[in-house]
């Protein structure tokens, strides 16, 4: 990497020589890894298996915040549209943190996603195996609830005094019928587990497994019905239109691309005010290259983080690698 003329008769200082962890020369040796970016530090887990929530800064305009509040008051799902990197998924975590609603329940949707998977899973094979093992034993057969585990949507509908928050991520990647499949659950706030509904009416409530370790949920006659409708945040990249019946049951929020001032605010919120020093060229490069859907805000954060760590981003190939377009062939 070559230095560039600073305009003062000298040359700009070279990046710190130790920023390169990998040299490509085949020489092995242990190196000390620098601190990761704040958004790439993974939450630790408590002994119970619960993740420790680490709030991350999130900036949203007053108009967009009002739409979020409208969805909260109406108890309707919030359908968040925007290009990749505009903060759609992060909004759910910001709401959970600000309203102290606990850990976000996450349902990442893909082309194979089905409604039942999000509601519950029943391990029929495991139950049959255990039944065979106990057939010639005096030990009691395990309760059926041990073989039923609620999915993210099922967990969100467990009755509680305060609602849980559910992130349905990239619904437009799912099957074309999936939005319609969700309508009844969203309208009724309940669902039935047939394997439990077939039990005798005299059977006591079944304790089924949830996402909260050591906190099973009692299910009576196979039905789970929420007390408070969960806070549901649905994200979409706009790859497909949704049915009108589904859209009218949601509150829609379109997240705009952040302007230059908002980008500066985002950088300062994540990396501190000092990170704004000597990054005007990166901001200019980002804004010049950005077209709708082709660059994401976190790519700018990556570039600023590297610059702050002494990495020379003036070289075209390195900057291109960080601020690469999101569309087209790779």
């Amino acid at each position: 990497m070559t230095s560039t003329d600073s305009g003062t008769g000298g040359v700009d200082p070279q990046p710190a020589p130790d920023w390169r962890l990998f040299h490509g020369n085949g020489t092995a040796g242990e190196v000390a890894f620098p601190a990761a970016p704040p958004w790439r530090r993974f939450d630790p887990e408590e002994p119970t298996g619960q993740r420790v929530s680490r709030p991350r800064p999130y900036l949203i305009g007053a108009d967009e915040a009002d739409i979020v509040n409208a969805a909260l008051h109406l108890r309707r799902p919030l359908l968040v549209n925007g290009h990749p990197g505009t903060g759609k998924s992060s909004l759910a975590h910001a709401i959970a943190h600000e309203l102290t609603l606990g850990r976000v329940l996450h349902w990442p949707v893909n082309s194979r996603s089905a409604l039942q998977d999000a509601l519950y899973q029943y391990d029929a094979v495991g139950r049959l195996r255990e039944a065979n093992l106990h057939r010639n034993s005096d030990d009691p057969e395990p309760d059926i609830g041990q073989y039923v585990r609620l999915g993210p949507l099922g967990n969100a509908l467990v009755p509680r005094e305060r609602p849980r928050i559910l992130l349905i991520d990239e619904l437009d990647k799912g099957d074309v019928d999936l939005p319609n499949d969700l309508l009844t659950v969203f309208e009724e706030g309940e669902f039935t587990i047939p394997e439990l509904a077939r039990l005798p009416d005299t059977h006591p409530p079944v304790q089924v497994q949830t996402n909260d370790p050591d906190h099973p949920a009692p299910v009576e006659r196979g039905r789970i019905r929420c007390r408070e409708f969960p806070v549901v945040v649905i994200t979409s990249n706009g790859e497909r239109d949704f049915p009108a019946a589904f859209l009218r049951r949601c509150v829609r929020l379109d997240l705009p691309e952040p302007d230059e001032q908002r980008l500066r605010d985002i950088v300062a919120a994540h990396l501190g005010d000092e990170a704004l020093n000597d990054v005007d060229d990166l901001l200019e490069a980002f804004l010049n290259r950005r077209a709708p859907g082709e660059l994401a805000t976190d790519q700018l954060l990556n570039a600023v983080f590297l610059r702050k760590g002494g990495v020379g981003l003036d070289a075209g190939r390195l900057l291109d690698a960080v601020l690469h377009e999101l569309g087209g062939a790779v």
Side-chain angles (χ1 to χ4, degrees):
M1 182 179 298
T2 60
S3 60
T4 57
D5 194 308
S6 65
T8 60
V11 294
D12 292 332
Q14 290 285 346
D18 58 350
W19 77 267
R20 293 183 178 87
L21 307 179
F22 171 75
H23 296 274
N25 57 16
T27 302
E30 291 188 1
V31 297
F33 274 74
W39 52 91
R40 293 297 297 166
R41 298 171 191 168
F42 295 94
D43 297 332
E45 288 189 348
E46 295 178 342
T48 60
Q50 287 278 44
R51 286 185 178 181
V52 178
S53 177
R54 180 189 295 116
R56 294 177 174 85
Y58 188 85
L59 301 179
I60 190 171
D63 291 341
E64 289 80 18
D66 285 344
I67 296 174
V68 174
N69 283 298
L72 295 174
H73 280 278
L74 294 172
R75 305 300 200 274
R76 288 290 187 182
L78 180 69
L79 178 59
V80 186
N81 295 276
H83 296 298
T86 51
K88 301 185 299 296
S89 301
S90 299
L91 177 58
H93 295 272
I95 296 171
H97 168 65
E98 191 167 323
L99 302 184
T100 62
L101 296 179
R103 181 163 56 91
V104 174
L105 300 167
H106 186 205
W107 180 21
V109 175
N110 57 48
S111 59
R112 300 177 300 278
S113 296
L115 176 61
Q116 180 173 322
D117 297 330
L119 292 174
Y120 77 98
Q121 297 88 41
Y122 173 57
D123 184 8
V125 174
R127 188 185 182 203
L128 178 61
R129 182 176 61 249
E130 289 295 322
N132 289 333
L133 291 174
H134 288 79
R135 182 170 298 170
N136 299 319
S137 171
D138 294 333
D139 296 332
E141 185 176 321
D143 186 79
I144 186 174
Q146 295 187 28
Y147 306 99
V148 178
R149 178 171 294 277
L150 299 182
L153 178 54
N155 275 289
L157 293 173
V158 170
R160 299 178 180 85
E161 293 299 326
R162 286 174 59 78
R164 290 294 297 269
I165 183 162
L166 170 67
L167 170 62
I168 303 179
D169 215 1
E170 298 187 333
L171 181 61
D172 52 334
K173 289 187 176 179
D175 184 83
V176 66
D177 292 325
L178 186 56
N180 284 328
D181 293 341
L182 287 166
L183 288 180
T184 299
V185 177
F186 282 168
E187 286 300 290
E188 302 297 331
E190 67 177 37
F191 69 99
T192 299
I193 301 176
E195 291 83 358
L196 303 185
R198 290 192 289 265
L199 296 174
D201 291 344
T202 57
H203 197 285
V206 176
Q207 302 288 330
V208 302
Q209 307 302 304
T210 70
N211 71 310
D212 300 315
D214 303 322
H215 288 84
V219 180
E220 189 170 355
R221 297 183 179 179
R223 188 180 74 155
I224 291 181
R225 179 180 177 85
C226 67
R227 185 174 300 132
E228 282 285 341
F229 188 75
V231 178
V232 180
V233 176
I234 304 170
T235 71
S236 170
N237 292 322
E239 296 181 5
R240 192 180 68 235
D241 293 331
F242 295 122
F246 176 81
L247 290 175
R248 73 179 179 85
R249 289 171 169 84
C250 298
V251 176
R252 176 166 176 156
L253 170 62
D254 294 310
L255 288 181
E257 299 276 6
D259 58 18
E260 180 177 351
Q261 185 55 52
R262 178 60 60 83
L263 289 172
R264 290 181 179 275
D265 293 340
I266 291 172
V267 169
H270 282 83
L271 298 173
D273 292 335
E274 68 278 2
L276 293 173
N277 299 330
D278 193 32
V279 295
D280 289 349
D281 60 325
L282 295 180
L283 277 167
E284 182 180 359
F286 179 85
L287 292 169
N288 287 340
R289 295 168 182 231
R290 184 178 71 178
E294 292 186 0
L295 286 179
T297 303
D298 58 354
Q299 290 174 284
L300 173 63
L301 289 172
N302 290 338
V304 175
F305 178 81
L306 290 175
R307 170 70 61 80
K308 187 179 176 183
V311 178
L313 281 175
D314 297 326
R317 291 188 64 183
L318 184 52
L319 186 60
D320 289 342
V322 178
L323 298 183
H324 61 86
E325 293 183 3
L326 301 180
V330 178

